[in-house]
Amino acid sequence: MTAQWQTELADAVRDPAELLRMLELDPALLAAARAAGRRFPLRVPRAFIARMRKGDPADPLLRQVLPLAAELESPGGFSHDPVGDLASRAAPGVLHKYHGRVLLITTGACGVHCRYCFRRHFPYADESARQADWHAALEYLRTNASVHEVILSGGDPLSLNDRTLAHLASALEQIPHITRLRIHTRQPIVLPSRVNSALLAWLKKCHLQKIVVLHVNHAHELDAAVIAALSRLRAVGLTLLNQSVLLRGVNDSVAELAALSEALFAAGVMPYYLNLLDRVQGAAHFEVSEEQACILIQGLRARLPGYLVPRLVREIPGAASKVPLMDMPARASTSNTL
Ligand SMILES: *Cc1c(COP(=O)(O)O)cnc(C)c1O
Ligand code: SF4
């Protein structure tokens, strides 16, 4: 049987002409959208489009999904695998970079295509942990007793159906040293109907500690339907965290970041990470400098309680964790006296 969310997913807008028409935008944007969309296609659910302002090409939600000519530029320093994912591959679709936790690439599919996505060039066809009923991934986890947390990622793990996910969760539960299940997903945000009774049923049944790390970049992404979906997740005992990407033209102001933290907390979600953009080819126009990022975080600290200030981090290939940014990188690197 097809669930409501699957129908909505199949009905997502993929034609830039339709998106421009729905938002009453200038058809002159179409040629570039088609050209850039050939490299990484447009995909956006109608529930997400409904939160965009009509007639505003600078809308912060639209900017996350509309292909632009700037994506076709290829400035130096922007690559296809900016975070060294392929080097940390422990088994097919299994990334083991950090102590105690392992990330599973469960699927390449996402409900939305974010233009800045660092996995836009990832070879998903060869690299899903789902092959042969998760066999190699489960075998790796069983034989590595230092792993206590499994992170379902992708793509978006909640684009898999609940039968598949429930089956995986119960296999993970049977591994004694696994105590936590973490799900990295944007699906409850772009497609809140995904949080349905079938999803809640297997989550409730699974006795691992469960954490959902959402991906919200702007307060406008949280409308009434999303807030209701998040409260359904909390009601079955999940801890909700959020990670954002700092994006030029989307959330690069103290006012927008503060509004985002406040809106998240009001919806029962704790801010977790604010990621600097991974330098993936096609996303250079979204980059905010490290110095500017530090200034924004200082502005946030001056304005919000400490628990609403996300950790500003960047991913460096080979590092033992996500790497926090210091307050004033310029001064810290030049002063060697106390
Ligand atoms: C980001 C990431 C994690 C999670 O890191 P946390 O700091 O625990 O949130 C784990 N594994 C991989 C491969 C990652 O990229
Ligand atoms: S939802 Fe996440 S993985 Fe999917 S396109 Fe957006 S940023 Fe990339």
Side-chain angles (χ1 to χ4, degrees):
M1 209 186 78
T2 312
Q4 170 69 23
W5 69 270
Q6 288 168 315
T7 308
E8 286 182 39
L9 195 61
D11 188 41
V13 172
R14 294 151 201 267
D15 177 4
E18 184 178 7
L19 179 63
L20 295 176
R21 226 176 15 248
M22 288 172 78
L23 293 171
E24 298 166 12
L25 290 168
D26 189 349
L29 294 163
L30 185 59
R34 284 215 199 286
R38 271 193 283 277
R39 295 199 176 176
F40 183 52
L42 169 84
R43 177 177 189 143
V44 53
R46 288 166 202 275
F48 195 68
I49 299 172
R51 295 166 229 160
M52 298 174 186
R53 286 184 298 247
K54 286 198 172 140
D56 181 4
D59 179 87
L61 276 55
L62 176 70
R63 277 190 61 91
Q64 296 179 52
V65 301
L66 179 67
L68 296 178
E71 294 179 23
L72 303 170
E73 294 161 15
S74 34
F78 284 76
S79 74
H80 278 210
D81 182 22
V83 296
D85 269 352
L86 295 176
S88 64
R89 173 189 182 281
V94 178
L95 303 185
H96 194 174
K97 276 190 199 176
Y98 305 143
H99 184 81
R101 53 242 200 255
V102 156
L103 186 147
L104 300 187
I105 306 281
T106 55
T107 168
C110 283
V112 65
H113 285 176
C114 311
R115 306 316 298 173
Y116 51 85
C117 180
F118 74 99
R119 295 223 170 93
R120 55 185 280 167
H121 304 289
F122 199 77
Y124 286 110
D126 322 322
E127 275 304 330
S128 163
R130 201 181 161 189
Q131 303 167 27
D133 202 22
W134 314 99
H135 180 78
L138 290 170
E139 203 44 42
Y140 182 78
L141 293 169
R142 281 188 200 107
T143 52
N144 278 270
S146 71
V147 177
H148 302 301
E149 177 166 347
V150 174
I151 302 172
L152 307 187
S153 182
D156 196 313
L158 295 190
S159 34
L160 296 175
N161 68 41
D162 290 304
R163 196 162 42 84
T164 304
L165 290 166
H167 170 70
L168 174 61
S170 80
L172 293 173
E173 271 183 308
Q174 283 155 33
I175 303 176
H177 50 270
I178 306 279
T179 57
R180 292 189 299 271
L181 176 66
R182 193 194 315 183
I183 303 174
H184 279 190
T185 178
R186 191 152 158 73
Q187 205 88 295
I189 307 303
V190 297
L191 200 72
S193 60
R194 177 65 187 89
V195 184
N196 62 4
S197 53
L199 174 68
L200 297 168
W202 71 260
L203 283 172
K204 199 168 171 181
K205 212 172 118 219
C206 171
H207 63 60
L208 298 168
Q209 280 193 295
K210 288 149 295 191
I211 304 106
V212 171
V213 180
L214 299 155
H215 173 179
V216 184
N217 297 316
H218 196 281
H220 291 177
E221 292 171 47
L222 300 168
D223 69 357
V226 173
I227 291 167
L230 298 178
S231 98
R232 294 197 290 280
L233 288 172
R234 281 199 306 146
V236 293
L238 276 70
T239 298
L240 305 185
L241 305 174
N242 183 62
Q243 57 178 338
S244 311
V245 182
L246 183 57
L247 297 166
R248 180 139 57 96
V250 173
N251 57 12
D252 57 336
S253 72
V254 173
E256 280 163 309
L257 291 171
L260 172 60
S261 279
E262 300 268 15
L264 286 167
F265 189 71
V269 183
M270 292 302 294
Y272 180 38
Y273 282 145
L274 177 62
N275 295 286
L276 279 194
L277 182 77
D278 293 313
R279 307 193 85 200
V280 63
Q281 211 172 72
H285 56 292
F286 284 115
E287 193 169 46
V288 176
S289 72
E290 269 182 40
E291 197 176 3
Q292 185 58 27
C294 290
I295 292 169
L296 289 170
I297 283 289
Q298 283 170 345
L300 271 189
R301 279 207 202 99
R303 205 156 144 162
L304 292 175
Y307 58 87
L308 289 188
V309 180
R311 301 160 179 83
L312 178 63
V313 292
R314 134 188 78 161
E315 184 150 358
I316 299 180
S321 69
K322 304 284 190 269
V323 180
L325 260 82
M326 295 305 143
D327 268 359
M328 293 295 269
R331 211 188 296 164
S333 61
T334 53
S335 77
N336 46 18
T337 53
L338 286 174

